[in-house]
């Protein structure tokens, strides 16, 4: 019996040696090697970071089956993520739908430099252009920002451009009419509580940790309505009216929902990323959507259908393959 075991063990060892030295070893070895992809997100207290975490958690649940491991990186936001995906530093990035459109068509930060290799995977949660002000700063409307210290966000963010557009609709030039700070939005809560700014813009899903932090401090804060956006929405079809539900932030000094406008968060990649990888990511998120939605309250509204709305760059072949397979697309 013992002899038998030794022989079997030896045979197995020789067998596996033969396999690993076999003629076609390079391609076989390759397909068994773990592949890594990184998803660019945003500040730790925003929604992109947990959204990236939710995507990687969902994909990594089948890590051994696919030999694919997704990790998340905290970044400055949409603009940084698109640029990093385009340069090949990141495989995936979360980006606002308006930024996806502008990058692909060569507008705004990408003026004259269209990112033709940018590819959409799917849309995620809605984001609202959120104007948070200290209740003691004498700000009741966006016009009242004149002369105030306002954080519009860092140059890598998507929200900086939205803040500039929103100010312009109120007749304010961000360079001359306000004292603009360009610091990462996730730091705004602390800046506001420390009295270093009067207000800040953040294009973000709700609820989120950053606004929670801002409303939980000793300095009372409130949301400021952004209205008169009809023209803006007409000019830029990726904008839509939205509101910030009062019930999500009971500590804010508002007694009703705050009207504003918004965009969508989307997941983007590059045409250079292999079809199989994008197929796996798309498939795992869509097939596990009900569990995925539990991972963050701003995902509550997601559906297979609305995750195909708001993208403007062409879909990546890997995403298309999945959508066609399940009949979401022809
Ligand atoms: N929309 C923001 C941006 O791209 C990021 C929001 C978030 O991190 O949730 O700048």
């Amino acid at each position: 019996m013992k002899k038998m075991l030794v022989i079997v063990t030896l045979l197995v060892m020789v067998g596996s040696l033969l396999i690993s030295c076999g003629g076609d070893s390079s391609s076989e070895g390759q397909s068994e090697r773990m592949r890594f992809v990184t998803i660019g997100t945003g500040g730790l207290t925003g929604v992109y970071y947990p959204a990236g975490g939710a995507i990687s958690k969902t994909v990594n649940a089948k890590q051994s089956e696919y030999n694919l491991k997704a990790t998340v990186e905290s970044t400055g936001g949409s603009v940084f993520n698109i640029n990093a995906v385009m340069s090949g530093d990141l495989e995936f990035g979360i980006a606002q739908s308006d930024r996806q459109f502008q990058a692909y068509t060569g507008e705004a930060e990408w003026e004259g430099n269209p990112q033709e290799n940018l590819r959409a995977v799917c849309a995620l949660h809605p984001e609202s252009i959120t104007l948070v002000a200290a209740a003691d700063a004498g700000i009741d409307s966006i016009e009242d920002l004149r002369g105030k210290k306002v954080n519009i966000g860092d140059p890598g963010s998507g929200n900086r451009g939205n803040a500039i557009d929103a100010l312009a609709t109120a007749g304010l030039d961000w360079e001359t009419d306000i004292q603009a700070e360009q610091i990462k939005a996730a730091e705004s809560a602390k800046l506001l509580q420390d009295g270093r700014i009067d207000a800040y813009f953040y294009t973000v899903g709700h609820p989120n940790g950053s606004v929670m932090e801002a409303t939980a401090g000793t300095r009372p804060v409130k949301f400021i309505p952004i209205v008169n956006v009809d023209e803006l929405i007409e000019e830029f079809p990726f904008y839509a009216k939205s509101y910030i539900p009062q019930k999500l932030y009971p500590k804010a000094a508002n007694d009703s929902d705050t009207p504003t406008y918004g965009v969508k968060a989307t997941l983007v990649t590059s045409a250079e990323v292999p079809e199989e990888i994008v197929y796996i990511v798309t498939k795992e998120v869509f097939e596990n959507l009900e569990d995925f939605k539990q991972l963050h309250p701003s995902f509550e509204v997601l559906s297979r259908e609305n995750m195909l709305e708001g993208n403007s760059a062409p879909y990546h072949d890997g995403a298309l393959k999945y959508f066609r397979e399940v009949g979401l697309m022809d």
Side-chain angles (χ1 to χ4, degrees):
M1 189 63 194
K2 236 183 176 178
K3 223 176 178 183
M4 188 75 163
L5 246 179
V6 171
I7 293 172
V8 170
T9 314
L10 271 174
L11 277 176
V12 169
M13 279 170 69
V14 170
S16 57
L17 253 178
L18 280 178
I19 289 172
S20 61
C21 302
D24 200 21
S25 69
S26 64
S27 66
E28 248 179 69
Q30 209 87 61
S31 66
E32 282 168 17
R33 202 177 299 147
M34 187 61 77
R35 295 165 295 181
F36 294 90
V37 292
T38 305
I39 307 167
T41 60
L44 298 183
T45 50
V47 180
Y48 284 13
Y49 188 74
I55 296 168
S56 55
K57 183 172 187 221
T58 306
V59 171
N60 292 345
K62 301 241 179 91
Q63 191 174 318
S64 48
E65 184 179 322
Y66 293 131
N67 287 320
L68 179 66
K69 185 168 164 50
T71 53
V72 170
E73 191 175 304
S74 170
T75 74
S78 297
V79 173
F80 177 94
N81 294 340
I82 290 175
N83 291 337
V85 164
M86 289 295 85
S87 66
D89 288 340
L90 296 174
E91 286 74 26
F92 293 93
I94 305 183
Q96 294 175 199
S97 50
D98 52 333
R99 300 324 204 140
Q100 185 190 127
F101 177 88
Q102 291 164 339
Y104 186 71
T105 56
E107 290 170 35
E109 277 85 346
W110 301 274
E111 183 77 59
N113 183 23
Q115 303 298 304
E116 282 157 11
N117 268 349
L118 186 65
R119 293 292 177 270
V121 180
C122 63
L124 298 168
H125 58 281
E127 302 188 86
S128 289
I129 286 118
T130 306
L131 175 54
V132 184
D136 59 21
I139 301 167
D140 291 310
S141 69
I142 186 165
E143 286 80 6
D144 292 338
L145 292 179
R146 186 178 293 279
K148 304 284 185 194
K149 265 204 179 130
V150 184
N151 187 22
I152 61 169
D154 63 295
S157 73
N159 58 270
R160 180 177 175 276
N162 301 138
I164 292 171
D165 282 353
L167 287 162
T169 60
L172 296 177
D173 182 330
W174 72 276
E175 286 179 294
T176 52
D177 294 332
I178 61 165
Q179 299 180 56
E181 296 286 359
Q182 301 186 63
I183 303 167
K184 285 183 180 171
E187 287 173 40
S188 295
K190 191 170 184 326
L191 293 173
L192 195 70
Q193 283 301 328
D194 290 350
R196 288 167 58 199
I197 55 171
D198 301 305
Y200 69 91
F201 284 93
Y202 199 1
T203 303
V204 68
H206 292 287
N208 63 75
S210 172
V211 175
M212 288 286 187
E213 185 189 341
T215 59
T218 49
R219 192 182 190 195
V221 304
K222 63 182 181 185
F223 300 108
I224 307 300
I226 306 180
V227 287
N228 301 327
V229 289
D230 291 341
E231 251 175 60
L232 193 71
I233 291 174
E234 208 166 293
E235 190 183 350
F236 301 111
F238 39 69
Y239 285 143
K241 285 190 184 171
S242 72
Y243 66 93
I244 300 150
Q246 193 258 336
K247 67 169 197 283
L248 297 181
Y249 302 100
K251 289 185 179 157
N254 296 81
D255 46 26
S256 55
D257 296 346
T258 307
T260 180
Y261 67 106
V263 292
K264 264 189 175 190
T266 69
L267 182 64
V268 298
T269 187
S270 158
E272 303 286 328
V273 174
E275 181 177 315
E276 194 209 339
I277 303 246
V278 181
Y279 173 80
I280 292 170
V281 171
T282 314
K283 178 172 174 169
E284 288 312 312
V285 169
F286 275 70
E287 303 273 290
N288 297 292
L289 192 55
E290 287 316 307
D291 292 333
F292 182 79
K293 283 164 65 170
Q294 305 298 316
L295 297 176
H296 197 279
S298 19
F299 292 167
E300 212 169 86
V301 294
L302 295 186
S303 71
R304 287 155 70 91
E305 290 71 28
N306 68 27
M307 288 169 80
L308 297 184
E309 291 164 5
N311 295 296
S312 41
Y315 284 103
H316 189 283
D317 285 345
L320 274 181
K321 183 178 168 205
Y322 174 74
F323 298 147
R324 288 190 177 129
E325 217 169 74
V326 296
L328 278 169
M329 250 177 220
D330 298 332

